[in-house]
Amino acid sequence: MRSLIRTRQALRQTIRASPAARAYGLGVARSSSSATATTTTTMTRGSRSFEAVFARGGTSNGLVIQERHLPPREHWGAVLPAAMGSPDPSHGRQLDGMGGGVSSTSKICVLAPSARPDADIDFTFVQVGVRDGALDLAGNCGNMSSVVGPVAWDEGLVADRAAKVRTAANGVQEALVRVFNTNTSKMVHARFRVRGDPPMYCPEGDYEMDGVPGSQSKITLSFLDPAGAKTGKALPTGNAVDRLALPDGTGVEASLVDVSNPGVFVRAADLGIRDANPATFTPQAVEADAALKAKLESIRRAGAARMGLDPDTESVPKIVLLFPDSGAADVDVRCLAMSMGQAHKAVPLTLALCLGAAANMPGTLPAQVRRARNGDGGSGSGPVVIGHPSGKVEIGATIKDGKIVSADLLRTARVLMKGQVYY
């Protein structure tokens, strides 16, 4: 065990000491008198670059970058927004960078070998503000988490790989990568198909997920001990339902839940939304309703304050609308989520994990909606099928002695390209 830890530490130290980590044209070398600093500070916009992978993870996509290819974290704000094409206050399209103009395509994963004995990889998620270029590191992204294991594996960041591969009876090989998410200080285990000698990630498969065309191999994500990712408790206030006072003098009932990422869950009917038909009440319809968006943001901010979080941090908590009609016989709870001020076209995956867990917590609004739909007790550890604007996702939870041991789900992911990103 000590030998393995030393191997990981040596690998991490070698990567961080790489000369490439000091050549970004931003004066990021430790010594301002160094030749590197003198040379690189003269580099102009568009001539600077770093190595990266562009990949899809679940229903999101973004850049995956080895930490050794970036300057020290205090300088990320001068590199990452420009690489994504932000800030873009006038157009919000990120045409001058790798971003796609919406929160689900303005994401970055930063990877490094982990020095922890229980982890292979340290993963830091960065949400880049489309219009303002702000870097938000407050929470994790479940969708992009799905690509972390495969990329880390193929890029040689995982030590002792032979011990992490198992072969099923049908001959299919599966690798395990243990990921430590630095945003939430939580562990995620990723299992995915590998093939070849040496074994490499194999995206080919027959698993289909809503929101993504075609079929690929499945990636199983297990979020271990996910409760209290930001607040320390699954129910930060200790209540299954709280009443939030809003700036306009009104109030609304909400369930404030922190599993994987914090969420504020409210009933759509409590906001006067009567036409909840999935065919008409779409993310596009929400985006066109400025008054509703302002109302949802005021609820989100009130929920953040009640949970002890910073209301000015857009990424956590997120707010989710719950609908009484699931819209399909095989859906337990239907929702529409807001992410970074925009109506999400699917559902943020860590928020789906949170909603799935909440639906198993007696008394919460998600559990009430599920109970009314299915006629069950609204508690337990059974899987929850969540409907969202692009389809559905099934969330499994393992609960032992009242504690959430893990939250599990399936995703697909694929590397789209590798090379230099210029900024």
Short mmCIF file of all heavy atoms in Angstrom, two decimals, residues 300-346:
data_model
loop_
_atom_site.label_atom_id
_atom_site.label_comp_id
_atom_site.label_asym_id
_atom_site.label_seq_id
_atom_site.Cartn_x
_atom_site.Cartn_y
_atom_site.Cartn_z
N ARG A 300 -34.79 30.57 -5.48
CA ARG A 300 -33.48 29.93 -5.35
C ARG A 300 -32.61 30.66 -4.35
O ARG A 300 -31.96 30.04 -3.49
CB ARG A 300 -32.78 29.90 -6.72
CG ARG A 300 -31.50 29.06 -6.74
CD ARG A 300 -30.62 29.40 -7.93
NE ARG A 300 -30.03 30.74 -7.78
CZ ARG A 300 -28.95 31.01 -7.06
NH1 ARG A 300 -28.34 30.06 -6.38
NH2 ARG A 300 -28.49 32.25 -6.98
N ARG A 301 -32.61 31.98 -4.41
CA ARG A 301 -31.78 32.77 -3.50
C ARG A 301 -32.27 32.63 -2.06
O ARG A 301 -31.46 32.53 -1.13
CB ARG A 301 -31.78 34.24 -3.93
CG ARG A 301 -31.09 34.48 -5.28
CD ARG A 301 -31.13 35.96 -5.66
NE ARG A 301 -30.35 36.76 -4.73
CZ ARG A 301 -29.06 37.00 -4.85
NH1 ARG A 301 -28.38 36.49 -5.87
NH2 ARG A 301 -28.43 37.74 -3.96
N ALA A 302 -33.56 32.61 -1.87
CA ALA A 302 -34.11 32.43 -0.52
C ALA A 302 -33.75 31.05 0.02
O ALA A 302 -33.42 30.90 1.20
CB ALA A 302 -35.63 32.63 -0.54
N GLY A 303 -33.83 30.04 -0.84
CA GLY A 303 -33.45 28.69 -0.42
C GLY A 303 -31.97 28.60 -0.09
O GLY A 303 -31.59 27.94 0.88
N ALA A 304 -31.14 29.27 -0.87
CA ALA A 304 -29.70 29.26 -0.61
C ALA A 304 -29.40 29.85 0.77
O ALA A 304 -28.62 29.29 1.54
CB ALA A 304 -28.96 30.05 -1.69
N ALA A 305 -30.03 30.99 1.05
CA ALA A 305 -29.81 31.63 2.35
C ALA A 305 -30.26 30.73 3.50
O ALA A 305 -29.56 30.63 4.52
CB ALA A 305 -30.55 32.97 2.39
N ARG A 306 -31.40 30.07 3.34
CA ARG A 306 -31.90 29.19 4.40
C ARG A 306 -30.97 27.99 4.59
O ARG A 306 -30.85 27.46 5.71
CB ARG A 306 -33.31 28.72 4.05
CG ARG A 306 -33.99 27.91 5.15
CD ARG A 306 -34.35 28.77 6.35
NE ARG A 306 -35.40 29.70 6.04
CZ ARG A 306 -36.71 29.45 6.13
NH1 ARG A 306 -37.12 28.26 6.55
NH2 ARG A 306 -37.59 30.38 5.84
N MET A 307 -30.30 27.56 3.53
CA MET A 307 -29.39 26.42 3.63
C MET A 307 -28.00 26.82 4.12
O MET A 307 -27.13 25.97 4.30
CB MET A 307 -29.26 25.74 2.26
CG MET A 307 -30.55 25.16 1.73
SD MET A 307 -30.43 24.65 -0.02
CE MET A 307 -29.84 22.98 0.17
N GLY A 308 -27.78 28.12 4.31
CA GLY A 308 -26.48 28.60 4.74
C GLY A 308 -25.48 28.73 3.61
O GLY A 308 -24.27 28.78 3.85
N LEU A 309 -25.98 28.83 2.37
CA LEU A 309 -25.13 28.98 1.19
C LEU A 309 -25.17 30.42 0.70
O LEU A 309 -26.04 31.20 1.08
CB LEU A 309 -25.59 28.02 0.09
CG LEU A 309 -25.57 26.52 0.45
CD1 LEU A 309 -26.23 25.70 -0.65
CD2 LEU A 309 -24.13 26.05 0.66
N ASP A 310 -24.25 30.75 -0.18
CA ASP A 310 -24.17 32.10 -0.73
C ASP A 310 -25.18 32.26 -1.87
O ASP A 310 -25.04 31.60 -2.91
CB ASP A 310 -22.76 32.36 -1.25
CG ASP A 310 -22.58 33.76 -1.84
OD1 ASP A 310 -23.54 34.56 -1.76
OD2 ASP A 310 -21.49 34.05 -2.36
N PRO A 311 -26.19 33.12 -1.73
CA PRO A 311 -27.19 33.28 -2.80
C PRO A 311 -26.59 33.79 -4.11
O PRO A 311 -27.17 33.58 -5.18
CB PRO A 311 -28.17 34.31 -2.21
CG PRO A 311 -27.99 34.22 -0.73
CD PRO A 311 -26.53 33.91 -0.53
N ASP A 312 -25.43 34.45 -4.05
CA ASP A 312 -24.81 34.98 -5.26
C ASP A 312 -24.09 33.92 -6.08
O ASP A 312 -23.69 34.19 -7.22
CB ASP A 312 -23.83 36.11 -4.91
CG ASP A 312 -24.54 37.35 -4.39
OD1 ASP A 312 -25.69 37.57 -4.78
OD2 ASP A 312 -23.92 38.08 -3.58
N THR A 313 -23.91 32.73 -5.52
CA THR A 313 -23.30 31.63 -6.27
C THR A 313 -24.40 30.94 -7.08
O THR A 313 -25.26 30.26 -6.52
CB THR A 313 -22.62 30.62 -5.32
OG1 THR A 313 -21.60 31.30 -4.58
CG2 THR A 313 -22.00 29.47 -6.11
N GLU A 314 -24.35 31.11 -8.40
CA GLU A 314 -25.45 30.63 -9.25
C GLU A 314 -25.53 29.12 -9.34
O GLU A 314 -26.62 28.56 -9.53
CB GLU A 314 -25.29 31.20 -10.67
CG GLU A 314 -25.78 32.61 -10.85
CD GLU A 314 -25.86 32.98 -12.32
OE1 GLU A 314 -24.80 33.04 -12.96
OE2 GLU A 314 -26.98 33.19 -12.82
N SER A 315 -24.41 28.43 -9.20
CA SER A 315 -24.41 26.99 -9.49
C SER A 315 -25.03 26.16 -8.38
O SER A 315 -25.54 25.06 -8.64
CB SER A 315 -22.99 26.51 -9.75
OG SER A 315 -22.18 26.69 -8.60
N VAL A 316 -25.00 26.63 -7.14
CA VAL A 316 -25.61 25.90 -6.03
C VAL A 316 -26.28 26.89 -5.07
O VAL A 316 -25.70 27.93 -4.75
CB VAL A 316 -24.58 25.04 -5.25
CG1 VAL A 316 -24.06 23.92 -6.12
CG2 VAL A 316 -23.43 25.87 -4.73
N PRO A 317 -27.48 26.56 -4.62
CA PRO A 317 -28.28 25.43 -5.08
C PRO A 317 -28.96 25.75 -6.41
O PRO A 317 -29.04 26.91 -6.80
CB PRO A 317 -29.32 25.28 -3.97
CG PRO A 317 -29.55 26.70 -3.51
CD PRO A 317 -28.19 27.36 -3.58
N LYS A 318 -29.44 24.71 -7.07
CA LYS A 318 -30.27 24.88 -8.25
C LYS A 318 -31.74 24.70 -7.85
O LYS A 318 -32.04 24.03 -6.87
CB LYS A 318 -29.89 23.88 -9.33
CG LYS A 318 -28.53 24.17 -9.97
CD LYS A 318 -28.21 23.14 -11.04
CE LYS A 318 -26.96 23.52 -11.83
NZ LYS A 318 -25.75 23.57 -11.01
N ILE A 319 -32.63 25.31 -8.63
CA ILE A 319 -34.05 25.20 -8.32
C ILE A 319 -34.73 24.29 -9.32
O ILE A 319 -34.39 24.27 -10.51
CB ILE A 319 -34.73 26.59 -8.30
CG1 ILE A 319 -36.20 26.44 -7.88
CG2 ILE A 319 -34.59 27.31 -9.63
CD1 ILE A 319 -36.87 27.74 -7.53
N VAL A 320 -35.68 23.49 -8.83
CA VAL A 320 -36.36 22.49 -9.65
C VAL A 320 -37.87 22.60 -9.45
O VAL A 320 -38.36 22.63 -8.32
CB VAL A 320 -35.91 21.07 -9.26
CG1 VAL A 320 -36.56 20.04 -10.18
CG2 VAL A 320 -34.39 20.95 -9.33
N LEU A 321 -38.58 22.64 -10.58
CA LEU A 321 -40.05 22.61 -10.56
C LEU A 321 -40.52 21.16 -10.61
O LEU A 321 -40.02 20.37 -11.42
CB LEU A 321 -40.61 23.37 -11.75
CG LEU A 321 -40.48 24.90 -11.73
CD1 LEU A 321 -40.86 25.48 -13.09
CD2 LEU A 321 -41.36 25.49 -10.65
N LEU A 322 -41.48 20.82 -9.76
CA LEU A 322 -42.06 19.48 -9.72
C LEU A 322 -43.49 19.54 -10.25
O LEU A 322 -44.25 20.45 -9.90
CB LEU A 322 -42.07 18.93 -8.29
CG LEU A 322 -40.72 18.89 -7.57
CD1 LEU A 322 -40.92 18.48 -6.12
CD2 LEU A 322 -39.75 17.95 -8.27
N PHE A 323 -43.87 18.55 -11.06
CA PHE A 323 -45.19 18.53 -11.67
C PHE A 323 -46.01 17.35 -11.18
O PHE A 323 -45.46 16.25 -11.00
CB PHE A 323 -45.06 18.48 -13.20
CG PHE A 323 -44.30 19.64 -13.76
CD1 PHE A 323 -42.95 19.52 -14.05
CD2 PHE A 323 -44.91 20.86 -13.97
CE1 PHE A 323 -42.23 20.58 -14.56
CE2 PHE A 323 -44.20 21.93 -14.48
CZ PHE A 323 -42.87 21.79 -14.77
N PRO A 324 -47.30 17.56 -10.97
CA PRO A 324 -48.14 16.48 -10.42
C PRO A 324 -48.36 15.34 -11.40
O PRO A 324 -48.56 14.20 -11.00
CB PRO A 324 -49.45 17.19 -10.10
CG PRO A 324 -49.48 18.39 -11.01
CD PRO A 324 -48.05 18.82 -11.15
N ASP A 325 -48.33 15.64 -12.70
CA ASP A 325 -48.54 14.62 -13.72
C ASP A 325 -47.18 14.23 -14.29
O ASP A 325 -46.48 15.07 -14.87
CB ASP A 325 -49.44 15.15 -14.83
CG ASP A 325 -49.69 14.12 -15.93
OD1 ASP A 325 -49.25 12.96 -15.76
OD2 ASP A 325 -50.33 14.47 -16.94
N SER A 326 -46.81 12.98 -14.15
CA SER A 326 -45.50 12.55 -14.60
C SER A 326 -45.38 12.54 -16.12
O SER A 326 -44.27 12.56 -16.66
CB SER A 326 -45.17 11.15 -14.06
OG SER A 326 -46.01 10.18 -14.65
N GLY A 327 -46.50 12.50 -16.81
CA GLY A 327 -46.48 12.52 -18.27
C GLY A 327 -46.22 11.18 -18.91
O GLY A 327 -46.29 11.06 -20.13
N ALA A 328 -45.92 10.15 -18.12
CA ALA A 328 -45.68 8.81 -18.66
C ALA A 328 -45.89 7.79 -17.55
O ALA A 328 -45.64 8.06 -16.37
CB ALA A 328 -44.27 8.69 -19.23
N ALA A 329 -46.33 6.61 -17.95
CA ALA A 329 -46.65 5.57 -16.96
C ALA A 329 -45.43 5.09 -16.20
O ALA A 329 -45.54 4.64 -15.06
CB ALA A 329 -47.34 4.40 -17.66
N ASP A 330 -44.26 5.16 -16.83
CA ASP A 330 -43.05 4.63 -16.19
C ASP A 330 -42.19 5.71 -15.54
O ASP A 330 -41.02 5.49 -15.24
CB ASP A 330 -42.21 3.85 -17.20
CG ASP A 330 -41.79 4.70 -18.40
OD1 ASP A 330 -42.34 5.80 -18.57
OD2 ASP A 330 -40.92 4.24 -19.17
N VAL A 331 -42.76 6.90 -15.32
CA VAL A 331 -42.03 8.00 -14.68
C VAL A 331 -42.64 8.28 -13.31
O VAL A 331 -43.85 8.39 -13.17
CB VAL A 331 -42.09 9.27 -15.56
CG1 VAL A 331 -41.55 10.48 -14.80
CG2 VAL A 331 -41.27 9.06 -16.83
N ASP A 332 -41.78 8.36 -12.28
CA ASP A 332 -42.26 8.62 -10.92
C ASP A 332 -42.45 10.10 -10.64
O ASP A 332 -43.42 10.50 -10.00
CB ASP A 332 -41.25 8.04 -9.91
CG ASP A 332 -41.15 6.53 -9.99
OD1 ASP A 332 -42.20 5.87 -9.93
OD2 ASP A 332 -40.02 6.03 -10.13
N VAL A 333 -41.49 10.93 -11.07
CA VAL A 333 -41.52 12.36 -10.80
C VAL A 333 -41.07 13.09 -12.06
O VAL A 333 -40.04 12.72 -12.65
CB VAL A 333 -40.58 12.75 -9.63
CG1 VAL A 333 -40.67 14.25 -9.34
CG2 VAL A 333 -40.90 11.95 -8.38
N ARG A 334 -41.81 14.10 -12.47
CA ARG A 334 -41.40 14.90 -13.61
C ARG A 334 -40.93 16.27 -13.13
O ARG A 334 -41.54 16.85 -12.22
CB ARG A 334 -42.53 15.06 -14.63
CG ARG A 334 -42.08 15.77 -15.92
CD ARG A 334 -43.10 15.58 -17.02
NE ARG A 334 -44.34 16.26 -16.76
CZ ARG A 334 -44.59 17.53 -17.09
NH1 ARG A 334 -43.64 18.25 -17.67
NH2 ARG A 334 -45.75 18.06 -16.85
N CYS A 335 -39.88 16.77 -13.75
CA CYS A 335 -39.30 18.02 -13.27
C CYS A 335 -38.83 18.89 -14.43
O CYS A 335 -38.69 18.43 -15.58
CB CYS A 335 -38.12 17.74 -12.34
SG CYS A 335 -36.63 17.13 -13.19
N LEU A 336 -38.58 20.14 -14.13
CA LEU A 336 -37.88 21.07 -15.01
C LEU A 336 -36.94 21.87 -14.13
O LEU A 336 -37.36 22.46 -13.14
CB LEU A 336 -38.85 21.98 -15.77
CG LEU A 336 -38.22 22.81 -16.90
CD1 LEU A 336 -39.24 23.07 -18.01
CD2 LEU A 336 -37.66 24.13 -16.40
N ALA A 337 -35.66 21.85 -14.48
CA ALA A 337 -34.64 22.46 -13.64
C ALA A 337 -34.07 23.71 -14.27
O ALA A 337 -34.02 23.85 -15.50
CB ALA A 337 -33.51 21.46 -13.38
N MET A 338 -33.64 24.62 -13.42
CA MET A 338 -32.90 25.80 -13.86
C MET A 338 -31.43 25.60 -13.53
O MET A 338 -31.08 25.08 -12.46
CB MET A 338 -33.42 27.05 -13.16
CG MET A 338 -34.90 27.35 -13.39
SD MET A 338 -35.28 27.77 -15.10
CE MET A 338 -34.44 29.36 -15.25
N SER A 339 -30.55 25.99 -14.45
CA SER A 339 -29.12 25.88 -14.24
C SER A 339 -28.44 27.16 -14.69
O SER A 339 -28.56 27.53 -15.87
CB SER A 339 -28.57 24.67 -15.01
OG SER A 339 -27.16 24.59 -14.88
N MET A 340 -27.78 27.83 -13.78
CA MET A 340 -27.07 29.07 -14.10
C MET A 340 -28.00 30.08 -14.76
O MET A 340 -27.65 30.78 -15.69
CB MET A 340 -25.87 28.78 -15.00
CG MET A 340 -24.87 27.79 -14.45
SD MET A 340 -24.04 28.36 -12.95
CE MET A 340 -22.99 29.64 -13.61
N GLY A 341 -29.25 30.15 -14.25
CA GLY A 341 -30.21 31.13 -14.74
C GLY A 341 -30.91 30.74 -16.02
O GLY A 341 -31.72 31.51 -16.54
N GLN A 342 -30.65 29.53 -16.54
CA GLN A 342 -31.26 29.08 -17.78
C GLN A 342 -32.06 27.80 -17.52
O GLN A 342 -31.69 26.98 -16.69
CB GLN A 342 -30.20 28.80 -18.85
CG GLN A 342 -29.40 30.01 -19.28
CD GLN A 342 -28.27 29.64 -20.23
OE1 GLN A 342 -27.50 28.73 -19.98
NE2 GLN A 342 -28.18 30.36 -21.34
N ALA A 343 -33.16 27.65 -18.27
CA ALA A 343 -33.94 26.42 -18.17
C ALA A 343 -33.18 25.29 -18.84
O ALA A 343 -32.79 25.39 -20.00
CB ALA A 343 -35.30 26.62 -18.85
N HIS A 344 -32.93 24.22 -18.09
CA HIS A 344 -32.12 23.10 -18.59
C HIS A 344 -32.94 22.26 -19.56
O HIS A 344 -34.11 21.96 -19.31
CB HIS A 344 -31.64 22.25 -17.42
CG HIS A 344 -30.41 21.46 -17.70
ND1 HIS A 344 -30.43 20.32 -18.48
CD2 HIS A 344 -29.12 21.62 -17.31
CE1 HIS A 344 -29.21 19.82 -18.56
NE2 HIS A 344 -28.39 20.59 -17.86
N LYS A 345 -32.31 21.86 -20.66
CA LYS A 345 -33.01 21.08 -21.67
C LYS A 345 -33.13 19.61 -21.31
O LYS A 345 -33.86 18.87 -21.97
CB LYS A 345 -32.32 21.25 -23.02
CG LYS A 345 -32.42 22.68 -23.56
CD LYS A 345 -31.77 22.82 -24.92
CE LYS A 345 -31.90 24.26 -25.41
NZ LYS A 345 -31.26 24.45 -26.74
N ALA A 346 -32.43 19.17 -20.29
CA ALA A 346 -32.59 17.81 -19.77
C ALA A 346 -32.72 17.96 -18.25
O ALA A 346 -33.70 18.49 -17.75
CB ALA A 346 -31.42 16.93 -20.17
#
